[in-house]
Coordinates of all heavy atoms in Angstrom, one line a residue:
M26 N 46.6 23.1 6.0 CA 47.9 23.4 5.4 C 48.0 22.5 4.2 O 47.8 21.3 4.3 CB 49.0 23.2 6.5 CG 50.3 23.5 5.9 SD 51.7 23.2 7.1 CE 51.3 24.4 8.3
K27 N 48.5 23.0 3.2 CA 48.8 22.3 2.0 C 50.1 21.5 2.1 O 51.0 21.9 2.7 CB 48.8 23.2 0.7 CG 47.5 23.9 0.4 CD 47.7 24.7 -0.8 CE 46.4 25.5 -1.0 NZ 46.5 26.4 -2.1
T28 N 50.2 20.4 1.4 CA 51.4 19.6 1.4 C 52.5 20.4 0.9 O 52.4 21.1 -0.1 CB 51.2 18.3 0.6 OG1 50.1 17.6 1.2 CG2 52.4 17.4 0.6
G29 N 53.7 20.3 1.5 CA 54.8 21.0 1.0 C 55.0 22.4 1.6 O 56.1 23.0 1.4
Q30 N 54.1 22.9 2.3 CA 54.2 24.2 3.0 C 54.9 24.0 4.3 O 54.7 23.0 5.0 CB 52.9 24.9 3.2 CG 52.2 25.4 1.9 CD 51.0 26.1 2.2 OE1 50.3 25.9 3.2 NE2 50.6 27.1 1.4
N31 N 55.7 25.0 4.7 CA 56.3 25.0 6.0 C 55.4 25.5 7.0 O 54.6 26.4 6.8 CB 57.6 25.8 5.9 CG 58.7 25.2 5.0 OD1 58.8 24.0 5.0 ND2 59.4 26.0 4.4
S32 N 55.6 25.0 8.2 CA 54.8 25.6 9.4 C 55.4 26.9 9.8 O 56.7 27.1 9.7 CB 54.8 24.6 10.5 OG 54.2 23.4 10.2
V33 N 54.6 27.8 10.3 CA 55.1 29.1 10.8 C 55.1 29.0 12.3 O 54.1 28.6 12.9 CB 54.3 30.2 10.3 CG1 54.7 31.5 10.9 CG2 54.3 30.2 8.8
V34 N 56.2 29.4 13.0 CA 56.3 29.4 14.4 C 56.8 30.8 14.9 O 57.4 31.5 14.1 CB 57.2 28.3 15.0 CG1 56.7 26.9 14.6 CG2 58.6 28.5 14.5
A35 N 56.5 31.1 16.1 CA 57.0 32.3 16.7 C 57.7 31.9 18.0 O 57.1 31.1 18.8 CB 55.9 33.3 17.0
V36 N 58.8 32.5 18.3 CA 59.5 32.2 19.5 C 59.8 33.5 20.3 O 60.3 34.4 19.7 CB 60.9 31.5 19.3 CG1 61.7 31.3 20.6 CG2 60.7 30.2 18.5
V37 N 59.3 33.6 21.5 CA 59.4 34.8 22.3 C 60.0 34.4 23.6 O 59.5 33.5 24.3 CB 58.0 35.5 22.5 CG1 58.2 36.7 23.3 CG2 57.5 35.9 21.1
S38 N 61.0 35.1 24.1 CA 61.6 34.8 25.4 C 60.7 35.3 26.5 O 60.1 36.4 26.4 CB 63.0 35.4 25.4 OG 63.6 35.2 26.7
C39 N 60.7 34.6 27.6 CA 60.0 35.0 28.8 C 60.7 34.3 30.0 O 60.9 33.1 30.0 CB 58.5 34.6 28.7 SG 57.5 35.3 30.1
S40 N 61.0 35.1 31.0 CA 61.8 34.6 32.1 C 61.0 34.0 33.2 O 61.6 33.5 34.2 CB 62.7 35.7 32.6 OG 61.9 36.8 33.1
S41 N 59.7 34.1 33.1 CA 58.9 33.7 34.2 C 57.5 33.3 33.8 O 57.0 33.8 32.7 CB 58.8 34.8 35.3 OG 57.8 34.5 36.2
Y42 N 56.8 32.5 34.5 CA 55.4 32.2 34.3 C 54.5 33.2 35.0 O 53.2 33.0 35.0 CB 55.0 30.7 34.7 CG 55.6 29.7 33.8 CD1 56.6 28.9 34.3 CD2 55.1 29.5 32.5 CE1 57.2 27.9 33.4 CE2 55.7 28.5 31.7 CZ 56.7 27.7 32.2 OH 57.2 26.8 31.3
A43 N 55.0 34.2 35.6 CA 54.2 35.2 36.3 C 53.3 35.9 35.2 O 53.8 36.3 34.1 CB 55.1 36.3 36.9
P44 N 52.0 36.0 35.5 CA 51.1 36.6 34.5 C 51.5 37.9 33.9 O 51.4 38.2 32.7 CB 49.8 36.7 35.2 CG 49.9 35.7 36.3 CD 51.3 35.6 36.7
E45 N 52.1 38.8 34.7 CA 52.5 40.1 34.2 C 53.6 40.1 33.2 O 53.8 41.0 32.5 CB 52.8 41.1 35.4 CG 54.0 40.6 36.2 CD 53.7 39.7 37.4 OE1 52.6 39.1 37.4 OE2 54.6 39.4 38.2
L46 N 54.4 39.0 33.2 CA 55.4 38.8 32.2 C 55.0 37.8 31.1 O 55.3 38.1 29.9 CB 56.7 38.2 32.8 CG 57.4 39.1 33.9 CD1 58.5 38.3 34.5 CD2 57.8 40.4 33.3
L47 N 54.3 36.8 31.4 CA 53.9 35.8 30.4 C 52.8 36.3 29.5 O 52.9 36.1 28.3 CB 53.4 34.5 31.2 CG 53.1 33.4 30.3 CD1 54.3 32.9 29.5 CD2 52.5 32.2 31.1
L48 N 51.8 37.0 29.9 CA 50.7 37.5 29.0 C 51.3 38.3 27.9 O 51.0 38.1 26.8 CB 49.6 38.2 29.8 CG 48.4 38.6 29.0 CD1 47.8 37.5 28.2 CD2 47.4 39.3 29.9
P49 N 52.1 39.3 28.2 CA 52.7 40.1 27.1 C 53.5 39.3 26.2 O 53.5 39.5 24.9 CB 53.5 41.2 27.8 CG 53.0 41.3 29.2 CD 52.5 39.9 29.5
A50 N 54.2 38.3 26.7 CA 55.1 37.5 25.8 C 54.2 36.6 24.9 O 54.5 36.5 23.7 CB 56.0 36.6 26.7
V51 N 53.2 36.0 25.4 CA 52.3 35.2 24.6 C 51.6 36.1 23.6 O 51.4 35.8 22.4 CB 51.2 34.4 25.5 CG1 50.2 33.8 24.7 CG2 52.0 33.4 26.3
R52 N 51.1 37.3 24.0 CA 50.5 38.2 23.1 C 51.4 38.6 22.0 O 51.0 38.7 20.8 CB 50.0 39.5 23.9 CG 49.1 40.4 23.1 CD 48.6 41.5 23.9 NE 47.4 41.0 24.7 CZ 47.3 41.2 26.0 NH1 48.2 41.9 26.7 NH2 46.2 40.7 26.6
A53 N 52.7 38.8 22.3 CA 53.7 39.2 21.3 C 53.9 38.0 20.3 O 54.0 38.2 19.1 CB 55.0 39.5 21.9
G54 N 54.0 36.8 20.8 CA 54.1 35.6 20.0 C 52.9 35.4 19.0 O 53.1 35.2 17.8
I55 N 51.7 35.6 19.6 CA 50.5 35.5 18.7 C 50.5 36.6 17.7 O 50.1 36.4 16.6 CB 49.3 35.5 19.6 CG1 49.2 34.2 20.4 CG2 48.0 35.7 18.8 CD1 48.1 34.1 21.4
G56 N 51.0 37.8 18.1 CA 51.1 38.9 17.2 C 52.0 38.6 16.0 O 51.7 39.0 14.9
L57 N 53.1 37.9 16.3 CA 54.0 37.6 15.2 C 53.4 36.6 14.2 O 53.8 36.5 13.1 CB 55.3 36.9 15.8 CG 56.2 37.9 16.6 CD1 57.3 37.1 17.3 CD2 56.8 38.9 15.6
L58 N 52.3 35.9 14.6 CA 51.6 35.0 13.8 C 50.4 35.6 13.1 O 49.6 34.9 12.5 CB 51.2 33.8 14.6 CG 52.4 33.0 15.2 CD1 51.9 31.9 16.1 CD2 53.3 32.4 14.1
G59 N 50.2 36.9 13.3 CA 49.1 37.6 12.7 C 48.1 38.1 13.6 O 47.0 38.6 13.2
G60 N 48.3 37.9 14.9 CA 47.3 38.3 15.9 C 46.2 37.3 16.2 O 46.0 36.4 15.4
A61 N 45.6 37.4 17.4 CA 44.6 36.5 17.8 C 43.4 36.4 16.8 O 42.8 35.4 16.6 CB 44.1 36.8 19.2
S62 N 43.1 37.6 16.1 CA 42.0 37.6 15.2 C 42.3 36.7 13.9 O 41.4 36.4 13.2 CB 41.7 39.0 14.8 OG 42.8 39.6 14.1
A63 N 43.6 36.3 13.7 CA 43.9 35.4 12.6 C 43.4 34.0 13.0 O 43.4 33.1 12.1 CB 45.4 35.4 12.4
F64 N 43.2 33.7 14.2 CA 42.8 32.4 14.7 C 41.3 32.3 15.2 O 40.8 31.2 15.3 CB 43.7 31.9 15.8 CG 45.1 31.9 15.5 CD1 46.0 33.0 15.8 CD2 45.7 30.8 14.8 CE1 47.3 33.0 15.4 CE2 47.0 30.8 14.4 CZ 47.8 31.9 14.7
A65 N 40.7 33.4 15.5 CA 39.4 33.4 16.1 C 38.6 34.7 15.7 O 39.2 35.7 15.6 CB 39.5 33.3 17.6
A66 N 37.3 34.5 15.5 CA 36.5 35.6 15.2 C 35.4 35.8 16.3 O 35.2 34.8 17.1 CB 35.8 35.3 13.9
P67 N 34.8 37.0 16.4 CA 33.8 37.1 17.4 C 32.7 36.1 17.3 O 32.3 35.7 16.2 CB 33.2 38.5 17.1 CG 34.3 39.2 16.4 CD 35.1 38.2 15.6
E68 N 32.4 35.5 18.5 CA 31.3 34.5 18.6 C 31.7 33.1 18.0 O 30.9 32.2 18.1 CB 30.0 35.0 18.1 CG 29.5 36.2 18.9 CD 28.1 36.7 18.5 OE1 27.3 35.8 18.1 OE2 27.9 37.9 18.5
E69 N 32.8 33.0 17.4 CA 33.3 31.7 16.9 C 33.6 30.8 18.1 O 34.3 31.3 19.1 CB 34.5 31.9 16.0 CG 35.0 30.6 15.5 CD 36.2 30.8 14.5 OE1 36.8 31.9 14.5 OE2 36.5 29.8 13.8
H70 N 33.2 29.6 18.1 CA 33.6 28.6 19.1 C 34.9 28.0 18.9 O 35.2 27.4 17.8 CB 32.5 27.5 19.3 CG 31.2 28.0 19.8 ND1 30.9 27.7 21.1 CD2 30.3 28.8 19.4 CE1 29.7 28.3 21.4 NE2 29.4 29.0 20.3
I71 N 35.8 28.2 19.8 CA 37.2 27.7 19.7 C 37.5 26.7 20.8 O 37.2 26.9 21.9 CB 38.2 28.9 19.9 CG1 37.9 30.0 18.8 CG2 39.6 28.5 19.8 CD1 38.2 29.6 17.4
L72 N 38.2 25.6 20.4 CA 38.7 24.7 21.3 C 40.2 24.9 21.5 O 40.9 24.7 20.5 CB 38.4 23.2 20.8 CG 39.0 22.1 21.7 CD1 38.3 22.1 23.1 CD2 38.7 20.8 21.0
L73 N 40.6 25.3 22.6 CA 42.0 25.4 22.9 C 42.5 24.2 23.6 O 42.1 23.9 24.8 CB 42.2 26.7 23.8 CG 43.6 27.0 24.2 CD1 44.5 27.3 23.0 CD2 43.6 28.2 25.1
K74 N 43.2 23.3 22.9 CA 43.6 22.0 23.5 C 45.0 22.0 23.9 O 45.9 22.0 23.1 CB 43.3 20.9 22.4 CG 43.6 19.5 23.0 CD 43.4 18.5 21.9 CE 43.6 17.1 22.5 NZ 44.9 16.9 23.0
P75 N 45.3 21.9 25.2 CA 46.6 21.9 25.7 C 47.2 20.5 25.4 O 46.5 19.5 25.2 CB 46.5 22.2 27.2 CG 45.1 21.7 27.5 CD 44.3 22.0 26.3
N76 N 48.5 20.4 25.5 CA 49.3 19.2 25.4 C 49.2 18.5 26.8 O 49.8 18.9 27.7 CB 50.7 19.5 25.1 CG 51.6 18.2 25.0 OD1 51.0 17.1 24.8 ND2 52.9 18.4 25.1
L77 N 48.4 17.5 26.9 CA 48.2 16.7 28.2 C 48.8 15.3 28.0 O 48.3 14.5 27.3 CB 46.7 16.6 28.5 CG 45.9 17.9 28.6 CD1 44.4 17.7 28.8 CD2 46.4 18.7 29.8
L78 N 49.8 15.1 28.8 CA 50.4 13.8 28.7 C 50.2 12.9 30.0 O 50.0 11.8 29.9 CB 51.9 13.9 28.4 CG 52.3 14.5 27.1 CD1 53.8 14.7 27.0 CD2 51.8 13.7 26.0
N79 N 50.4 13.6 31.1 CA 50.1 12.9 32.4 C 49.9 13.9 33.5 O 49.8 15.1 33.2 CB 51.3 11.9 32.7 CG 52.6 12.6 32.8 OD1 52.7 13.7 33.3 ND2 53.7 11.9 32.4
Y80 N 49.9 13.4 34.7 CA 49.5 14.3 35.8 C 50.7 14.8 36.6 O 50.6 15.1 37.7 CB 48.6 13.5 36.8 CG 47.3 13.1 36.1 CD1 47.0 11.8 35.8 CD2 46.3 14.1 35.9 CE1 45.8 11.5 35.2 CE2 45.1 13.8 35.3 CZ 44.9 12.5 35.0 OH 43.7 12.2 34.4
D81 N 51.8 15.0 35.9 CA 53.0 15.6 36.6 C 52.7 17.1 36.9 O 52.0 17.7 36.1 CB 54.2 15.5 35.7 CG 54.8 14.1 35.7 OD1 54.8 13.5 36.8 OD2 55.3 13.6 34.7
P82 N 53.3 17.6 37.9 CA 53.1 19.0 38.2 C 53.7 19.9 37.2 O 54.7 19.5 36.5 CB 53.8 19.2 39.6 CG 54.7 18.1 39.7 CD 54.1 16.9 38.9
P83 N 53.3 21.2 37.0 CA 53.9 22.1 36.0 C 55.4 22.2 36.1 O 56.0 22.4 35.0 CB 53.2 23.4 36.3 CG 51.9 23.0 37.0 CD 52.2 21.8 37.8
E84 N 55.9 22.1 37.3 CA 57.4 22.3 37.4 C 58.2 21.2 36.7 O 59.4 21.4 36.4 CB 57.8 22.2 38.9 CG 57.1 23.3 39.7 CD 55.7 23.1 40.1 OE1 55.2 21.9 40.2 OE2 54.9 24.1 40.1
R85 N 57.6 20.1 36.4 CA 58.3 19.0 35.7 C 58.3 19.3 34.2 O 59.1 18.6 33.5 CB 57.6 17.7 35.9 CG 57.6 17.3 37.4 CD 58.3 16.0 37.8 NE 59.1 15.2 36.8 CZ 58.8 14.0 36.4 NH1 57.7 13.4 36.9 NH2 59.5 13.4 35.6
A86 N 57.6 20.2 33.7 CA 57.6 20.6 32.3 C 57.3 19.5 31.3 O 57.8 19.4 30.2 CB 58.9 21.3 31.9
V87 N 56.4 18.6 31.7 CA 56.0 17.5 30.9 C 54.8 17.9 29.9 O 54.8 17.5 28.8 CB 55.5 16.3 31.7 CG1 54.9 15.2 30.9 CG2 56.7 15.8 32.6
C88 N 54.0 18.8 30.4 CA 52.8 19.3 29.7 C 52.9 20.8 29.5 O 53.7 21.4 30.2 CB 51.5 18.9 30.4 SG 51.3 17.1 30.6
T89 N 52.1 21.3 28.7 CA 52.0 22.8 28.6 C 51.7 23.4 29.9 O 50.7 22.9 30.6 CB 50.9 23.2 27.5 OG1 51.2 22.5 26.3 CG2 50.9 24.7 27.3
H90 N 52.5 24.4 30.3 CA 52.2 25.0 31.6 C 50.9 25.6 31.7 O 50.5 26.3 30.7 CB 53.3 26.0 31.9 CG 53.4 26.4 33.3 ND1 52.5 27.3 33.9 CD2 54.3 26.1 34.3 CE1 52.8 27.5 35.2 NE2 53.9 26.8 35.4
P91 N 50.1 25.5 32.7 CA 48.8 26.1 32.8 C 48.7 27.6 32.6 O 47.8 28.1 32.1 CB 48.3 25.7 34.3 CG 49.1 24.6 34.7 CD 50.4 24.7 33.9
A92 N 49.8 28.2 33.0 CA 49.8 29.7 32.8 C 49.9 30.1 31.4 O 49.4 31.1 31.0 CB 51.0 30.3 33.6
V93 N 50.5 29.2 30.6 CA 50.6 29.5 29.1 C 49.2 29.3 28.5 O 48.8 30.1 27.7 CB 51.6 28.6 28.4 CG1 51.6 28.7 26.9 CG2 53.0 28.9 29.0
I94 N 48.5 28.3 28.9 CA 47.2 28.0 28.4 C 46.3 29.2 28.8 O 45.5 29.7 28.0 CB 46.6 26.7 29.0 CG1 47.5 25.5 28.6 CG2 45.1 26.5 28.6 CD1 47.6 25.4 27.1
E95 N 46.4 29.6 30.1 CA 45.6 30.8 30.5 C 45.9 32.0 29.7 O 45.0 32.7 29.3 CB 45.8 31.1 32.0 CG 44.9 32.2 32.5 CD 45.1 32.5 33.9 OE1 45.9 31.8 34.6 OE2 44.5 33.5 34.4
A96 N 47.1 32.3 29.4 CA 47.5 33.5 28.6 C 47.0 33.4 27.2 O 46.5 34.4 26.7 CB 49.0 33.7 28.7
A97 N 47.1 32.2 26.6 CA 46.6 32.0 25.3 C 45.1 32.2 25.2 O 44.5 32.8 24.3 CB 47.0 30.6 24.7
A98 N 44.4 31.7 26.3 CA 42.9 31.8 26.3 C 42.6 33.3 26.5 O 41.6 33.7 25.8 CB 42.4 31.0 27.5
R99 N 43.3 34.0 27.3 CA 43.0 35.4 27.4 C 43.1 36.2 26.1 O 42.3 37.0 25.7 CB 43.9 36.1 28.5 CG 43.5 35.7 29.9 CD 44.4 36.4 30.9 NE 44.1 35.9 32.3 CZ 43.2 36.5 33.0 NH1 42.5 37.5 32.6 NH2 43.0 36.0 34.2
C100 N 44.2 35.9 25.4 CA 44.4 36.5 24.1 C 43.3 36.2 23.1 O 42.8 37.1 22.4 CB 45.7 36.1 23.5 SG 47.2 36.7 24.4
L101 N 42.9 34.9 23.1 CA 41.8 34.5 22.2 C 40.5 35.2 22.6 O 39.7 35.6 21.7 CB 41.6 33.0 22.2 CG 42.7 32.3 21.4 CD1 42.6 30.8 21.7 CD2 42.7 32.6 19.9
L102 N 40.2 35.2 23.9 CA 38.9 35.9 24.4 C 38.8 37.3 24.0 O 37.7 37.9 23.8 CB 38.8 35.7 25.9 CG 38.5 34.2 26.3 CD1 38.5 34.1 27.8 CD2 37.1 33.8 25.8
E103 N 40.0 38.0 23.8 CA 40.0 39.4 23.4 C 39.4 39.6 22.1 O 38.9 40.7 21.7 CB 41.4 40.0 23.5 CG 41.9 40.1 24.9 CD 43.4 40.5 24.9 OE1 44.1 40.5 23.9 OE2 43.9 40.6 26.1
T104 N 39.3 38.5 21.3 CA 38.7 38.6 19.9 C 37.2 38.6 20.0 O 36.5 38.8 19.0 CB 39.2 37.5 19.0 OG1 38.6 36.2 19.5 CG2 40.7 37.4 18.9
G105 N 36.6 38.2 21.1 CA 35.2 38.0 21.3 C 34.7 36.6 21.0 O 33.5 36.3 20.9
C106 N 35.7 35.7 20.8 CA 35.3 34.3 20.6 C 34.8 33.6 21.8 O 34.9 34.2 22.9 CB 36.5 33.5 20.0 SG 37.7 33.0 21.2
V107 N 34.3 32.4 21.7 CA 33.8 31.6 22.8 C 34.7 30.4 22.9 O 34.9 29.7 22.0 CB 32.3 31.2 22.6 CG1 31.9 30.3 23.7 CG2 31.4 32.4 22.4
L108 N 35.3 30.2 24.1 CA 36.1 29.0 24.3 C 35.2 27.9 24.7 O 34.5 28.0 25.7 CB 37.2 29.3 25.4 CG 38.3 30.3 25.0 CD1 39.3 30.4 26.1 CD2 39.0 29.9 23.7
S109 N 35.3 26.8 24.0 CA 34.6 25.6 24.2 C 35.2 24.8 25.3 O 36.5 24.7 25.3 CB 34.4 24.8 23.0 OG 33.7 25.5 22.0
E110 N 34.4 24.1 26.1 CA 35.0 23.1 27.1 C 35.2 21.8 26.4 O 34.6 21.5 25.4 CB 34.0 23.0 28.2 CG 33.9 24.2 29.1 CD 33.0 24.0 30.3 OE1 33.0 22.8 30.8 OE2 32.4 24.9 30.7
F111 N 36.1 21.0 26.9 CA 36.4 19.7 26.3 C 36.6 18.7 27.4 O 37.1 19.1 28.5 CB 37.5 19.8 25.3 CG 38.9 20.1 26.0 CD1 39.7 19.1 26.3 CD2 39.2 21.4 26.2 CE1 40.9 19.4 26.9 CE2 40.5 21.7 26.8 CZ 41.3 20.7 27.2
P112 N 36.3 17.5 27.2 CA 36.6 16.5 28.2 C 38.1 16.2 28.3 O 38.8 16.3 27.3 CB 35.9 15.2 27.7 CG 35.7 15.5 26.2 CD 35.7 16.9 26.0
P113 N 38.6 15.9 29.4 CA 40.0 15.6 29.6 C 40.4 14.4 28.6 O 39.7 13.4 28.5 CB 40.2 15.2 31.0 CG 39.0 15.7 31.7 CD 37.9 15.8 30.7
E114 N 41.5 14.5 27.9 CA 41.9 13.5 27.0 C 43.5 13.4 27.2 O 44.2 14.2 26.9 CB 41.7 13.9 25.6 CG 42.2 13.0 24.6 CD 42.0 13.5 23.2 OE1 41.1 14.2 22.9 OE2 42.9 13.2 22.3
T115 N 43.8 12.3 27.8 CA 45.3 12.0 28.0 C 45.5 10.5 28.2 O 44.7 9.8 28.8 CB 45.7 12.8 29.3 OG1 47.1 12.4 29.6 CG2 44.9 12.5 30.5
P116 N 46.6 10.1 27.7 CA 46.9 8.6 27.9 C 47.1 8.3 29.4 O 46.9 7.1 29.8 CB 48.3 8.5 27.2 CG 48.5 9.7 26.4 CD 47.6 10.7 26.9
A117 N 47.3 9.3 30.2 CA 47.5 9.0 31.7 C 46.1 9.0 32.4 O 46.1 8.8 33.6 CB 48.4 10.0 32.3
A118 N 45.0 9.3 31.7 CA 43.7 9.4 32.4 C 43.4 8.1 33.1 O 43.7 7.0 32.5 CB 42.7 9.8 31.4
P119 N 42.8 8.1 34.2 CA 42.5 6.9 34.9 C 41.3 6.2 34.4 O 40.8 5.2 35.0 CB 42.3 7.4 36.4 CG 41.8 8.8 36.2 CD 42.5 9.3 35.0
W120 N 40.6 6.6 33.4 CA 39.4 6.0 32.8 C 39.7 5.3 31.5 O 40.6 5.5 30.8 CB 38.2 6.9 32.7 CG 38.6 8.2 32.1 CD1 38.6 8.5 30.8 CD2 39.1 9.4 32.7 NE1 39.0 9.8 30.6 CE2 39.3 10.4 31.7 CE3 39.3 9.8 34.1 CZ2 39.8 11.6 32.0 CZ3 39.7 11.0 34.3 CH2 40.0 11.9 33.3

């Protein structure tokens, strides 16, 4: 991003983390940003890095909910990209 440009965000309402509601909502949000193909190409290696702060359960809403990460991953995989694995990285890690 060039200096002085504004970031683009999409906000989509979703009443539940249930996959049947969340996946379409995440897909709609990504669609508002140009679709998953704007972020990933077939066979491109993509690192989807969630916000990891500590080991609190999803109900505490400290980190990105795992269901959101899964939905985003599914949307990206539809492009034919390859999701790369990454080592855990968090200030709360015990190592």
Side-chain angles (χ1 to χ4, degrees):
M26 178 182 297
K27 294 181 183 176
T28 302
Q30 288 184 333
N31 293 326
S32 298
V33 179
V34 298
V36 178
V37 177
S38 178
C39 186
S40 61
S41 169
Y42 288 111
E45 63 274 9
L46 298 176
L47 186 60
L48 182 58
V51 170
R52 190 174 281 129
I55 291 173
L57 291 170
L58 299 172
S62 62
F64 301 98
E68 299 185 33
E69 180 179 13
H70 287 254
I71 299 293
L72 175 63
L73 182 61
K74 185 181 180 303
N76 179 23
L77 301 174
L78 296 175
N79 60 33
Y80 295 108
D81 283 323
E84 298 77 32
R85 297 240 7 242
V87 173
C88 301
T89 305
H90 196 285
V93 175
I94 299 302
E95 181 179 359
R99 288 181 183 273
C100 291
L101 288 170
L102 288 171
E103 291 170 358
T104 68
C106 76
V107 177
L108 291 181
S109 298
E110 292 185 29
F111 65 96
E114 176 187 327
T115 173
W120 47 87

